[in-house]
Amino acid sequence: MAGTNISIDKEQFCCSVCLEVLWEPVTIPCGHSYCMECIKGYWRKCEVKEEYSCPQCRRTFSPRPALSRNTMLADIVEKLRKSGVQDVSAKASDVECDVCTGKKHRAVKFCVKCQTLYCEIHLKPHNERNRGRAHQLIEVTKQPQKRVCARHNKLREVYCRTDQQCICGLCLKDGHKGHSVVSVIEERTEKQKHLEEAWRKSKQRCREREKELRDIVKYIKRSAQAVEEDTEKIFTRLQRTTERKHSEVKELIRGEERTALGQTEKLLERLNQQIVEQRRGEAELEALANTEDHIHFLQNYKMLCAPPDAGGRPSIDVHPYFSLLILRKALTELTDKVAEICDREAAKISEIVDEERDQSAENSLSAETARRDSQQTEPKSRGDFLQHCCDLTFDPNTADSLLRLSEDQTEVMSAAEPQLNADQQEIFSGGSHVLCSESLSGRRYWEVEWSGAVSIALSYKSIHTTRANPDQKQGCNSTSWSLDVSDSRCVFRHSKLSVEIHTPVAHRVGVFLDHRAGSLVFYSVSLVDGTMVLLHREQTVFTQPLYPGFWVGLGSALKLCQTFSFSA
């Protein structure tokens, strides 16, 4: 007998209590089946009323029915599991109970004291055993142990902003005295606001870039249409010129014909038959001379160019045929030259377009490759960054008159009175600014110490050639990038972009530049242990060497760190 295919729904073998595939199935008197542990747990809640019911049909039983394993149903479920039916309880989002043996039930609570996950079945005995004891229960997560302080076995309910980590109440008293601390909920709320703001700005930048892309597409289409219209006009002029010359040549041929016929008028009667043949030959020659089919021309050229039989033809003083041969040869050479010129110029145009396209693709590929290589090989520790350190000095010719430089040109502070210097020919406009003498390319790293309110920037050399223009201030245009820091605020600026940075900033800032990869990164460097915290990363394309530049507010100072003696 052939086998019968039966379509089976997995849900038919699910327990209606736990909504999972039956495990150790039992069947109660009403005919419904459940996991043995599920129906036992459900009936425990009915012990007070001493009335046991079916969770599905609500039929009641008294006394409590004896439960025994449904062997046939258990075998069917086991075979279905082996044949590939998936257990609907195996969800990635479920966390299993630590106490269950055999089949694992879904955990519903985590005990901070016991460091254990409990399902509904095992949670009740745990609560009864530890009634009156400090056993805190929390909601289940993927890794609940991370919410508990490993040192004090307490729930992490406080966030230390100074050390940027979650701690428990005992940690607050132990190693975080005097630190800025808030509740984790408050910090989450604050960070959530910053995250939403960053998301909003990212979405805004995405919309702006989409608009730029649409504008580029429109520009390309308009440019292509304009070129196409110009090309149409050029070829129209060429066509008209060719047609005009064609008419002139035809008129020249007819003139030659009329002249020859006038000279041979007396011979028409004798040569009437020959003239008919001659005219047929002339018509074929004319058609061949004017044809655009090169193959047809070449195949019929020799036959039509063969000189006619001169026998019996009277000699005449002027023979127009030779003039026509010269004219036709000249026209043939002209046709070949025009075709050659057109092909050569068209090939040049194609080569120029292909070279531009290949160069653009190569530049894009090089920039993308450099960016990926930079991300893979970017320094990880402060020691790695110091391998790329460089010594910088201020350029006094670019210093504002309100700034005072040290003798070694490595420290600057604002002055109450202007510092007059007759040699200053390139004073940077827009406030108390100063540039460094060194231009930077490749990979470079440097650190500065600051106090008060300062701006740490990089810009192209041309930025200080424009005076009295607010858009030429560092960070306010497309040719400079600036990090503005003070004790109360930290902001990154570039062109019209402004990004608020909420990470605490130490009084030493490290700057890493990867010119080829277009990467500029600012770090907060701890003066205690030299640890580095990322402040901002900017990814762009640099087209010129960069010069470090600084703005120093009133009562502020800045120092270029020349020697790095810290060892991790």
Side-chain angles (χ1 to χ4, degrees):
M1 180 184 293
T4 303
N5 293 327
I6 303 176
S7 177
I8 299 176
D9 188 355
K10 293 185 296 184
E11 296 182 357
Q12 296 176 353
F13 297 92
C14 289
C15 172
S16 61
V17 176
C18 65
L19 303 179
E20 300 173 353
V21 175
L22 290 168
W23 189 271
E24 296 293 323
V26 296
T27 303
I28 61 177
C30 64
H32 292 112
S33 300
Y34 302 94
C35 300
M36 182 174 291
E37 291 297 329
C38 290
I39 193 62
K40 284 182 178 179
Y42 181 80
W43 280 350
R44 285 194 199 101
K45 301 176 183 178
C46 304
E47 289 178 350
V48 177
K49 299 180 181 180
E50 296 184 356
E51 190 176 79
Y52 307 96
S53 62
C54 173
Q56 289 182 266
C57 65
R58 300 301 178 184
R59 179 178 172 182
T60 59
F61 312 102
S62 184
R64 171 179 170 173
L67 297 175
S68 59
R69 184 172 180 266
N70 189 327
T71 306
M72 181 180 294
L73 184 57
D75 293 341
I76 293 174
V77 172
E78 184 65 24
K79 289 179 180 179
L80 288 174
R81 283 198 181 97
K82 292 181 179 180
S83 63
V85 177
Q86 298 294 324
D87 189 342
V88 297
S89 65
K91 300 178 181 178
S93 60
D94 290 344
V95 180
E96 297 178 342
C97 174
D98 291 336
V99 183
C100 288
T101 58
K103 178 197 173 183
K104 294 284 188 179
H105 290 81
R106 184 168 54 248
V108 295
K109 292 292 182 180
F110 177 76
C111 178
V112 177
K113 182 72 173 178
C114 302
Q115 292 283 292
T116 306
L117 290 160
Y118 293 100
C119 63
E120 288 186 355
I121 299 173
H122 295 102
L123 181 62
K124 184 176 179 181
H126 167 270
N127 293 340
E128 291 176 352
R129 284 195 311 270
N130 300 287
R131 186 171 298 170
R133 299 180 183 179
H135 281 249
Q136 186 178 4
L137 299 175
I138 61 174
E139 296 298 324
V140 174
T141 58
K142 282 282 186 179
Q143 294 178 314
Q145 292 82 0
K146 289 187 176 182
R147 299 180 61 186
V148 179
C149 174
R151 183 179 177 185
H152 301 106
N153 204 26
K154 296 288 185 182
L155 188 64
R156 301 177 189 264
E157 298 178 322
V158 181
Y159 182 80
C160 177
R161 288 179 171 174
T162 304
D163 295 332
Q164 298 185 12
Q165 60 179 344
C166 296
I167 59 176
C168 68
L170 295 180
C171 290
L172 178 60
K173 299 176 181 179
D174 191 3
H176 297 267
K177 290 183 179 179
H179 291 189
S180 175
V181 295
V182 294
S183 67
V184 292
I185 297 176
E186 182 179 348
E187 183 66 17
R188 165 63 189 272
T189 304
E190 185 68 19
K191 286 289 194 297
Q192 187 77 21
K193 293 179 182 178
H194 298 161
L195 182 64
E196 292 173 356
E197 179 65 16
W199 176 82
R200 185 188 65 79
K201 291 181 178 179
S202 176
K203 192 174 181 180
Q204 178 65 24
R205 287 195 296 269
C206 184
R207 286 196 294 266
E208 292 175 356
R209 289 172 182 171
E210 287 178 351
K211 183 179 181 300
E212 291 176 0
L213 182 60
R214 289 194 296 268
D215 293 341
I216 291 173
V217 171
K218 291 180 181 178
Y219 171 77
I220 293 174
K221 289 183 177 180
R222 287 197 300 267
S223 301
Q225 184 178 359
V227 173
E228 183 179 355
E229 292 174 356
D230 292 341
T231 304
E232 186 69 24
K233 293 178 182 178
I234 293 171
F235 277 99
T236 300
R237 289 199 297 268
L238 288 174
Q239 183 177 0
R240 290 175 180 174
T241 301
T242 304
E243 291 175 352
R244 186 172 64 252
K245 294 300 179 183
H246 184 200
S247 299
E248 292 176 358
V249 171
K250 287 173 68 176
E251 184 61 30
L252 178 62
I253 294 173
R254 289 172 184 153
E256 289 291 327
E257 180 184 14
R258 288 192 297 269
T259 300
L261 288 175
Q263 294 177 354
T264 59
E265 187 175 5
K266 295 180 181 182
L267 303 175
L268 288 177
E269 292 181 0
R270 295 174 54 189
L271 302 177
N272 186 44
Q273 186 63 33
Q274 294 181 6
I275 290 173
V276 171
E277 296 296 331
Q278 182 68 27
R279 287 180 176 175
R280 183 183 300 114
E282 290 178 359
E284 292 176 354
L285 288 174
E286 181 179 353
L288 183 63
N290 298 322
T291 184
E292 296 180 358
D293 188 347
H294 304 317
I295 304 301
H296 175 72
F297 179 86
L298 295 174
Q299 289 175 345
N300 295 275
Y301 177 80
K302 292 183 178 180
M303 179 181 67
L304 294 178
C305 286
D309 184 14
R313 180 172 18 177
S315 61
I316 55 177
D317 295 335
V318 178
H319 202 312
Y321 184 68
F322 296 105
S323 299
L324 294 175
L325 283 177
I326 296 173
L327 178 60
R328 188 175 64 180
K329 182 178 179 181
L331 290 175
T332 303
E333 293 177 353
L334 176 62
T335 302
D336 294 339
K337 288 182 179 179
V338 171
E340 181 182 353
I341 292 172
C342 290
D343 293 341
R344 184 172 64 248
E345 295 303 319
K348 287 182 179 179
I349 295 173
S350 298
E351 289 177 1
I352 293 173
V353 173
D354 292 341
E355 287 177 1
E356 290 293 333
R357 185 187 300 113
D358 294 341
Q359 185 64 36
S360 177
E362 183 179 351
N363 292 340
S364 299
L365 180 61
S366 298
E368 180 64 20
T369 301
R371 184 186 65 81
R372 288 199 302 266
D373 292 344
S374 172
Q375 290 179 348
Q376 293 174 357
T377 62
E378 184 173 302
K380 303 300 182 183
S381 65
R382 186 160 181 261
D384 295 336
F385 280 105
L386 294 181
Q387 298 297 321
H388 304 281
C389 67
C390 58
D391 290 339
L392 302 175
T393 56
F394 295 121
D395 182 359
N397 293 327
T398 63
D400 187 82
S401 59
L402 292 175
L403 295 179
R404 184 168 69 249
L405 303 180
S406 62
E407 293 184 0
D408 60 357
Q409 312 296 338
T410 61
E411 297 184 45
V412 60
M413 62 181 63
S414 62
E417 297 294 336
Q419 307 296 304
L420 299 179
N421 186 348
D423 296 332
Q424 288 181 323
Q425 300 298 326
E426 298 180 349
I427 297 177
F428 189 92
S429 63
S432 302
H433 292 80
V434 61
L435 290 178
C436 287
S437 302
E438 296 79 11
S439 65
L440 302 180
S441 59
R443 283 189 163 195
R444 294 291 183 268
Y445 176 77
W446 66 98
E447 293 181 352
V448 298
E449 291 184 359
W450 62 275
S451 63
V454 300
S455 294
I456 305 167
L458 283 96
S459 63
Y460 297 147
K461 183 70 172 177
S462 59
I463 189 174
H464 66 78
T465 59
T466 304
R467 302 171 184 269
N469 186 352
D471 290 340
Q472 293 303 313
K473 294 180 181 180
Q474 295 176 109
C476 297
N477 50 71
S478 60
T479 61
S480 63
W481 297 258
S482 174
L483 183 74
D484 302 345
V485 294
S486 65
D487 292 330
S488 60
R489 194 181 185 196
C490 181
V491 182
F492 173 80
R493 301 183 192 278
H494 172 63
S495 190
K496 298 181 180 180
L497 175 66
S498 178
V499 179
E500 290 277 353
I501 299 171
H502 300 280
T503 304
V505 184
H507 283 275
R508 175 174 289 202
V509 173
V511 186
F512 177 70
L513 169 68
D514 191 335
H515 192 281
R516 180 171 177 265
S519 179
L520 176 61
V521 193
F522 295 90
Y523 292 94
S524 174
V525 182
S526 173
L527 297 176
V528 178
D529 55 7
T531 56
M532 302 175 66
V533 177
L534 176 65
L535 296 176
H536 182 78
R537 180 188 299 274
E538 186 70 9
Q539 194 69 42
T540 183
V541 177
F542 298 120
T543 59
Q544 303 175 31
L546 292 167
Y547 287 80
F550 307 91
W551 173 87
V552 183
L554 184 63
S556 304
L558 186 140
K559 177 183 178 182
L560 298 171
C561 301
Q562 301 293 309
T563 304
F564 302 95
S565 59
F566 172 81
S567 59

